[in-house]
Amino acid sequence: MKTFSFRLLKLPLLVVYSMLSLSVEAETNNQESQSQQKNIHKICETSYDNCLTLLPDYLNQTPKYSRLWYAYKLNQLEALFALERIEELDQMLSPIISRQDLPEKFQIYTFILNAKIIQYKGNPELASRYFNEAKDLLLAVNKDWPKPFELIKIANMLLYLKEYQIGYEMLIGLEEKFNHFTDANFKYRLYTNLGHFALNLKDHKSHQMYRLKALQWAEVTDNSNIRAIANFNVARSHLFVESFDVSIKYFNKALSEAIKARNQNLVNKTYLNMADIYQRINKRNNVKVLLEKVNSNGLKGAYSELYTQLSEGN
């Protein structure tokens, strides 16, 4: 009589167990990877400074030029732009933008960022070319089913192209269509851009209204940089109509959030706007104190001129 061998039975069981172990391990690794992606995405939404500190490790551990690598790189580029670190952004973007194999979404956003850098450097004609290319790509992508966030980006490009009335009407339509949306980031960006258009159309009443609406939604977010910008914009809207007391109040709030976000450029701009107000109302000592806090090395354009003007007046 043949003896039953448990060894023979164990072989397929071991194979099955091994396969199950590999499957569970792969699933676990995939879940960990997705969790890491969500974590860094959340960090980049709430703190641009922390985002820039942590992202190099994520980029180094990810295959270069993979879709995930491009997603991390886009977070990095957007954080640099948000913190107005334009020179660093330019250096990082230059070797990438000329590649022929860029993912569509990444290509569109890098065209937008590159156009803003070029405009910042003082070449509006070349900037317009990049804005138009990005706009055409975005419109093509959104032809059948436009996404609200990307429509805001199109409107923002119209702002840079000085198509104020067209962009304004587009966003008014977007506000009506997506009135039910409760996404704080979407509503903040919508009302921020509506504020930009209202200002350029010289509608100061609407400008103040949209700045306050943007601030209300910014306060819902965990992003101190967004809150700083929103308070800064409200302060500026009151400065334009010479409501100085209210303006100073919001500049102080902006300053607190900008320091927390480590946005040195916004800190400098806030000090200079406050100094400008105190100069107008003849509080020269306040002007002097504020100017001493400004790091003048990073100032460009109108703010560099304002710093010189205020310094000479004291």
Side-chain angles (χ1 to χ4, degrees):
M1 184 169 72
K2 292 183 179 179
T3 307
F4 184 79
S5 173
F6 282 99
R7 191 183 297 174
L8 293 172
L9 182 61
K10 287 178 183 176
L11 282 173
L13 286 173
L14 286 169
V15 172
V16 170
Y17 177 75
S18 178
M19 289 171 66
L20 284 170
S21 297
L22 287 171
S23 175
V24 169
E25 186 178 346
E27 188 176 343
T28 303
N29 288 339
N30 187 45
Q31 288 174 347
E32 287 177 358
S33 176
Q34 289 178 354
S35 176
Q36 287 177 341
Q37 290 174 41
K38 286 180 182 176
N39 285 341
I40 190 64
H41 180 67
K42 182 66 177 174
I43 289 167
C44 288
E45 277 188 343
T46 56
S47 172
Y48 296 123
D49 187 64
N50 288 338
C51 176
L52 291 172
T53 301
L54 296 172
L55 268 175
D57 284 342
Y58 281 81
L59 286 161
N60 290 335
Q61 294 165 17
T62 306
K64 199 169 185 181
Y65 303 131
S66 65
R67 289 202 167 266
L68 182 56
W69 185 89
Y70 277 118
Y72 290 151
K73 181 56 72 173
L74 187 57
N75 281 327
Q76 192 177 37
L77 296 171
E78 288 183 334
L80 285 171
F81 181 76
L83 293 175
E84 300 181 53
R85 288 159 60 172
I86 304 299
E87 286 79 12
E88 291 175 69
L89 175 62
D90 190 19
Q91 289 173 9
M92 191 173 289
L93 190 58
S94 294
I96 302 173
I97 199 166
S98 58
R99 290 183 63 87
Q100 300 299 310
D101 57 348
L102 295 176
E104 192 170 52
K105 179 180 177 182
F106 188 87
Q107 183 184 39
I108 292 167
Y109 291 173
T110 52
F111 275 11
I112 295 170
L113 289 172
N114 195 46
K116 290 180 178 180
I117 291 169
I118 293 167
Q119 180 125 352
Y120 174 82
K121 288 180 173 180
N123 191 341
E125 293 81 12
L126 183 57
S128 292
R129 197 191 90 193
Y130 275 100
F131 277 126
N132 276 310
E133 285 186 41
K135 176 169 65 72
D136 291 344
L137 281 169
L138 259 179
L139 287 169
V141 168
N142 286 276
K143 183 179 179 182
D144 298 322
W145 187 251
K147 299 180 180 69
F149 271 99
E150 294 186 354
L151 290 174
I152 290 177
K153 288 186 182 295
I154 294 169
N156 186 255
M157 283 182 279
L158 292 172
L159 177 73
Y160 278 87
L161 294 167
K162 301 186 188 301
E163 299 284 355
Y164 301 133
Q165 194 61 44
I166 296 171
Y168 184 68
E169 289 173 7
M170 178 181 170
L171 288 182
I172 290 293
L174 199 61
E175 181 191 24
E176 291 173 0
K177 185 174 182 180
F178 294 97
N179 187 49
H180 61 288
F181 264 38
T182 56
D183 185 301
N185 195 24
F186 168 74
K187 286 297 182 86
Y188 162 75
R189 292 178 189 277
L190 172 65
Y191 288 121
T192 295
N193 278 279
L194 275 167
H196 294 337
F197 281 111
L199 174 60
N200 280 284
L201 291 169
K202 302 192 183 332
D203 182 351
H204 291 293
K205 186 175 180 180
S206 294
H207 179 220
Q208 286 184 328
M209 177 186 71
Y210 290 131
R211 295 307 192 196
L212 281 170
K213 284 189 174 185
L215 176 58
Q216 287 166 3
W217 286 102
E219 296 290 358
V220 180
T221 74
D222 296 323
N223 191 318
S224 54
N225 196 67
I226 284 176
R227 293 197 298 270
I229 293 168
N231 276 291
F232 180 87
N233 286 337
V234 172
R236 291 273 294 171
S237 73
H238 286 278
L239 174 56
F240 287 127
V241 294
E242 300 187 345
S243 180
F244 295 139
D245 288 344
V246 179
S247 187
I248 288 288
K249 172 185 146 186
Y250 281 104
F251 276 132
N252 275 314
K253 289 182 179 181
L255 185 61
S256 174
E257 294 287 0
I259 291 170
K260 196 185 302 180
R262 300 185 187 179
N263 188 336
Q264 187 57 48
N265 280 324
L266 192 60
V267 169
N268 284 335
K269 289 178 181 179
T270 304
Y271 283 141
L272 284 169
N273 275 281
M274 293 171 76
D276 183 32
I277 290 173
Y278 287 127
Q279 179 84 341
R280 295 189 200 193
I281 59 178
N282 293 315
K283 290 191 174 181
R284 300 292 177 85
N285 287 337
N286 292 31
V287 176
K288 185 178 179 182
V289 169
L290 288 165
L291 289 179
E292 287 172 355
K293 295 180 179 181
V294 174
N295 179 0
S296 59
N297 294 330
L299 297 176
K300 301 285 184 184
Y303 278 100
S304 178
E305 291 173 15
L306 178 60
Y307 177 79
T308 302
Q309 177 190 329
L310 291 171
S311 298
E312 289 173 351
N314 277 271

